[in-house]
């Protein structure tokens, strides 16, 4: 068995999803039908109890677990495992009535009313206490059931609270961070500006919208505190569960690039990373293959949160959602394609929200495996059953890993800092889009790229791309230097290394903290373009790339100039440079150019890194998973028409066909070639 298997009980991949039987307790016929149809759809797991608090504890202190016990047991008898959620995603009405402090205060200072979900004060001792009581009871009652695979903490943790309890915790967090020395904070936050000096930690308020929003350090620390406090809350739930059943793994479902929480700080607390994947397929702005490629980036971000372990796609829709701007149906075949993509990118699960559509309330029309019609003769059910069959055939893939030799650096702190910085142009900063665009271009060159933090170990990589790495964490510059020194190829771009972790500008030239030496350049100025402004970068061989949005003007100290600006007062100055450093090379790209246009540069970097380029037909992705027992190449066709793939080899696990050389992938088709 592969040593990276997520669960020892499930021999292959997990197929299932959120199941809410508490909405159907008065319909035993429906509950029985659910089990029959789950088996028919090849479902082997159900995520239970995500929002079941009021079913477990309808009034304070009165607990009912018998209904859940029956369901877990029945599922288990039918070969379906349970992923058991803690119910802290939404609070029962009695709880808010008795403990109003559990309700959040918004950024205007207004206490929310009872309602909705995901909106608790994470500092409230009363709320934490109530959560620990119910969590303990759940672990005691169900934790030793052989059907329970894993705990799922709460649901889609998110949001901020500005209540007095949170404000106080924020002050304590700051006091600890700045070693009880308010002058350290004043220095880090540069509070001599606009007379914003603080005399004590007690004077510091959260950045209320109608209060202090102009101290960048305060804004950033508030973001960090929000992650810290959410993490603390999550750890609180985990510790209760572990105190009863230490061996059951835990996860919580992340939301792709959700900005509000630094998932990299939360990941170490979890046994597996899981996330909810709802791509806007078939939108009117881009071809499906582009949406698919962007989704591959999201998978890579999640995979990067715990390298060396498969992740889980905890939620996805088998058909449509109810919250996109336009809730378009997934076209026939697209469901299979997106599920195969999840596995291709490193997920060992395909899970849905949800199994059966509820009759009423907010999500009654959200896609589910079973519609209100309730039968299995629907297109969606058939497609889900096909996925179930495919997942069964892909069992050998479980526990294998996607191994990348290239990485793109992507930091949450950097996101916060770039979002908040009063420079550039708000509309065109586009840090995330810039990272995604570059990453997708490498995917199109057949290159798998991890997405990792700037201060993480880079020793497994030969190529690192660092787009807009505006903020340098302590150690990042050294990390990058070491990487290049030992033979790595590095490319950084405009807006690199301006500030330290407190957002204080580096003195002595950007990129700071020693990176100017690595690249052999200093960035003297950055020009922000109006959307209609253009410049060009010209190479001696005649290549000319169009510049939009941003252009830095460089002083070249010790680097080759590979290309120069063609226009404006900085015409003729360096725009792309390269410096040999140790055994590797450090490239600096001083302006924004569309990633497609930079392809020749990317190919050059890959060649130097000795990473093979593989050109597949437009819209086709290839991802490879490897393990002790085999290598599996996933081919995914994001086009509605068929494509011919060349140079492929292996046994297609989905069809049982042996492939050697060229083969045809139908529109939206997928193949998984086992290469022994
Ligand atoms: C999220 C939530 C689910 C459900 C789905 C709908 O992922 O976790 O409870 O609301 O969205 O898309
Ligand atoms: Zn609060």
């Amino acid at each position: 068995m592969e040593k990276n298997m997520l669960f020892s009980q499930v021999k292959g991949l997990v197929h299932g999803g959120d199941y809410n039987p508490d909405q159907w307790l008065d319909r035993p016929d429906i509950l029985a039908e659910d089990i029959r149809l789950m088996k028919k759809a090849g479902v082997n797991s159900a995520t239970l109890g995500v929002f079941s608090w009021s079913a477990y504890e309808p009034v304070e202190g009165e607990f009912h677990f018998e209904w859940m016990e029956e369901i877990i047991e029945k599922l288990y008898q039918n070969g379906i495992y349970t992923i058991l959620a803690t119910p802290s995603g939404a609070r029962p009405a009695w709880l808010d009535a008795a403990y109003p402090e559990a309700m959040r205060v918004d950024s205007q200072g207004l206490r929310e009313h009872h309602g909705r979900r995901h909106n608790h004060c994470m500092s409230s001792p009363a709320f934490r206490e109530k959560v620990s009581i119910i969590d303990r009871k759940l672990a005691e009652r169900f934790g030793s059931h052989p059907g329970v695979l894993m705990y799922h903490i709460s649901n889609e943790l998110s949001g901020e609270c500005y209540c007095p309890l949170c404000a106080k915790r924020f002050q304590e967090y700051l006091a600890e961070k700045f070693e009880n020395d308010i002058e350290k904070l004043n220095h880090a936050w540069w509070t001599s500006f606009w007379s914003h000096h603080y005399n004590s930690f007690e004077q510091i308020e959260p950045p209320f919208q109608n209060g202090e929003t102009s101290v960048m350090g305060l804004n950033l620390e508030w973001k960090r505190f929000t992650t810290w406090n959410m993490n603390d809350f999550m750890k609180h739930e985990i510790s209760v569960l572990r105190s009863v059943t230490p061996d059951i793994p835990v996860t919580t479902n992340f939301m792709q690039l959700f900005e509000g929480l630094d998932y990299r700080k939360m990941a170490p607390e979890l046994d597996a990373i899981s996330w909810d994947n709802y791509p806007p397929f078939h939108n009117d702005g881009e071809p499906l293959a582009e949406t698919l490629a962007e989704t591959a980036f999201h998978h890579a971000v999640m995979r990067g949160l715990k390298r060396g372990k498969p992740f889980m796609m905890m939620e996805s829709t088998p058909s449509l959602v109810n919250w996109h701007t336009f809730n378009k149906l997934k076209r026939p075949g697209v469901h299979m394609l997106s599920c195969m993509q999840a596995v291709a990118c490193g997920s060992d699960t395909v899970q849905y929200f949800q199994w059966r559509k509820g009759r009423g309330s907010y999500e009654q029309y959200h896609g589910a495996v079973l519609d209100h019609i309730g039968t299995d003769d629907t297109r969606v059910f058939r497609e889900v059953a096909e996925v179930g069959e495919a997942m069964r055939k892909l069992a050998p893939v479980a526990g294998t890993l996607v191994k990348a030799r290239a990485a793109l650096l992507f930091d949450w702190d950097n996101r916060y800092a770039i979002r908040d910085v009063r420079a550039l142009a708000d509309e065109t900063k586009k840090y995330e889009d810039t990272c995604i665009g570059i990453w997708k271009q490498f995917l199109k060159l057949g290159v798998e790229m991890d997405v990792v933090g700037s201060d993480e170990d880079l020793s497994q990589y030969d190529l690192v791309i660092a787009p807009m790495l505006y903020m340098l964490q302590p150690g990042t510059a050294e990390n990058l230097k070491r990487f290049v020194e030992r033979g790595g190829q590095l490319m950084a771009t405009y807006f690199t290394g301006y500030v330290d972790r407190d957002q204080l500008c580096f003195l002595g030239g950007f990129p700071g903290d020693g990176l100017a030496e690595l690249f052999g350049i200093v960035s003297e100025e950055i020009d922000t373009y109006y959307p209609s402004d253009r410049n060009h970068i010209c190479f001696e061989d005649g290549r000319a790339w169009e510049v939009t949005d941003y252009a830095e003007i460089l002083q070249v100290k010790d680097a080759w100039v590979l290309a120069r600006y063609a226009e404006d007062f900085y015409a003729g100055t360096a725009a792309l440079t390269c410096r040999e450093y140790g055994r590797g090379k450090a490239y600096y790209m001083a302006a924004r150019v569309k990633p497609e246009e930079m392809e020749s540069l990317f190919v050059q970097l890959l060649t130097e890194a000795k990473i093979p380029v593989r050109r597949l037909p437009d819209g086709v992705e290839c991802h490879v998973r490897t393990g002790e027992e085999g290598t599996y190449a996933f081919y995914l066709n994001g086009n509605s028409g068929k494509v011919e793939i060349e140079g492929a080899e292996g046994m297609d696990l989905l069809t049982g066909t042996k492939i050697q050389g060229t083969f045809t992938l139908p529109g939206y088709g997928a193949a998984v070639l086992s290469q022994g």
Side-chain angles (χ1 to χ4, degrees), residues 430-635:
K430 296 189 175 167
Y431 170 56
E432 292 84 357
D433 288 352
T434 302
C435 292
I436 294 170
I438 293 174
W439 191 93
K440 285 202 306 195
Q441 199 56 36
F442 279 94
L443 180 69
K444 287 175 189 164
L445 291 168
V447 175
E448 191 70 71
M449 223 180 208
D450 282 348
V451 180
V452 300
S454 63
D455 49 359
E456 286 187 62
D457 177 18
L458 302 174
S459 57
Q460 80 182 74
Y461 304 114
D462 298 303
L463 172 66
V464 167
I465 308 290
M468 299 177 75
L469 193 57
Y470 168 67
M471 171 183 288
L472 300 179
Q473 298 291 334
T476 292
E478 273 312 307
N479 200 24
L480 295 179
K481 278 184 172 172
R482 259 198 316 277
F483 169 74
V484 180
E485 216 160 25
R486 69 142 185 86
Q489 308 295 317
L490 170 68
M491 187 188 102
T493 73
Y494 55 92
F495 218 47
T496 289
Y498 283 43
V499 294
D500 68 10
R501 72 179 315 268
D502 293 315
Q503 293 176 100
L504 291 178
C505 285
F506 288 111
L507 301 179
F510 304 147
D513 208 18
L515 284 188
E517 186 216 338
L518 172 62
F519 292 101
I521 54 103
V522 170
S523 163
E524 192 179 312
E525 292 183 272
I526 185 161
D527 200 8
T528 297
Y529 290 8
Y530 277 88
S532 59
D533 288 339
R534 291 290 180 274
N535 201 329
H536 287 85
I537 290 182
C538 293
F539 292 74
E540 281 183 3
D541 62 12
R543 273 175 295 162
W545 295 345
E546 188 176 74
V547 174
T548 59
D549 301 339
Y550 302 106
E552 275 180 347
I553 305 171
L554 305 184
Q555 294 176 10
V556 179
K557 303 286 185 194
D558 180 13
W560 295 317
V561 178
L562 306 183
R564 297 173 188 275
Y565 290 109
E567 287 117 43
D568 219 321
F569 73 93
Y570 39 97
T573 68
L576 173 64
T577 63
C578 174
R579 170 153 199 240
E580 279 188 45
Y581 189 89
R583 289 191 282 139
K585 286 187 185 153
Y587 288 78
Y588 195 87
M589 177 67 194
R592 182 173 285 174
V593 169
K594 285 206 182 74
E596 309 82 274
E597 283 202 62
M598 293 194 285
E599 195 188 278
S600 57
L601 171 64
F602 295 167
V603 171
Q604 181 179 336
L605 287 161
L606 288 164
T607 309
E608 282 165 351
K610 300 193 174 59
I611 299 175
V613 169
R614 177 149 182 233
R615 288 179 198 275
L616 291 162
D618 277 355
V620 173
E621 291 177 20
C622 178
H623 304 274
V624 179
R625 291 185 63 164
T626 51
E628 282 164 16
E629 287 159 28
T631 295
Y632 306 93
F634 288 70
Y635 289 90

Side-chain angles (χ1 to χ4, degrees), residues 101 103-105 111 120-124 161-167 229:
E101 66 173 50
M103 294 181 282
R104 271 187 191 158
V105 168
R111 176 81 64 185
H120 337 295
C121 168
M122 296 304 180
S123 304
S124 155
C161 177
Y162 290 70
C163 80
L165 291 168
C166 286
N229 202 24

Side-chain angles (χ1 to χ4, degrees), residues 298-468:
H298 296 147
H299 283 304
V301 173
M302 292 297 133
R303 183 176 72 229
L305 294 178
K306 228 179 231 316
R307 291 195 252 162
K309 202 161 188 184
F311 62 89
M312 307 172 70
M313 182 168 75
M314 181 62 83
E315 290 182 25
S316 62
T317 177
S319 53
L320 75 172
V321 299
N322 70 343
W323 51 267
H324 285 163
T325 324
F326 293 88
N327 296 302
K328 190 130 176 157
L329 296 177
K330 272 176 164 172
R331 274 30 215 167
V334 171
H335 180 54
M336 174 70 85
L337 180 68
S338 61
C339 294
M340 291 302 100
Q341 184 193 41
V343 179
C345 293
S347 176
D348 269 8
T349 78
V350 162
Q351 294 160 275
Y352 310 121
F353 181 85
Q354 60 176 333
W355 169 253
R356 180 186 283 277
K357 281 186 184 173
R359 285 189 72 189
S361 208
Y362 199 75
E363 293 184 328
Q364 69 192 132
Y365 295 110
H366 191 288
V369 181
L370 287 182
D371 214 319
H372 298 119
I373 189 174
T375 54
D376 57 1
D377 60 352
T378 61
R379 175 180 77 93
V380 170
F381 187 90
R382 277 193 298 275
E383 293 198 26
V384 167
E386 279 165 26
V387 170
E389 183 57 16
M391 296 292 280
R392 198 184 54 72
K393 292 175 177 165
L394 296 185
V397 173
T400 61
L401 300 173
V402 173
K403 290 180 183 152
R405 290 178 52 201
L408 182 137
L409 306 186
F410 181 75
D411 287 350
W412 264 260
D413 270 359
N414 199 40
R415 298 175 77 183
Y416 303 143
I418 291 179
R419 178 99 51 234
D420 208 26
V421 69
R422 303 288 81 226
L424 311 185
D426 281 341
E427 269 180 36
T428 55
K429 287 175 182 170
K430 296 189 175 167
Y431 170 56
E432 292 84 357
D433 288 352
T434 302
C435 292
I436 294 170
I438 293 174
W439 191 93
K440 285 202 306 195
Q441 199 56 36
F442 279 94
L443 180 69
K444 287 175 189 164
L445 291 168
V447 175
E448 191 70 71
M449 223 180 208
D450 282 348
V451 180
V452 300
S454 63
D455 49 359
E456 286 187 62
D457 177 18
L458 302 174
S459 57
Q460 80 182 74
Y461 304 114
D462 298 303
L463 172 66
V464 167
I465 308 290
M468 299 177 75

Side-chain angles (χ1 to χ4, degrees), residues 18 51 117 155-156 253 276 278 315 321 323 353 363 366:
D18 278 28
F51 296 109
R117 61 175 180 173
N155 191 59
E156 296 195 333
N253 49 345
D276 299 346
Y278 295 102
E315 290 182 25
V321 299
W323 51 267
F353 181 85
E363 293 184 328
H366 191 288

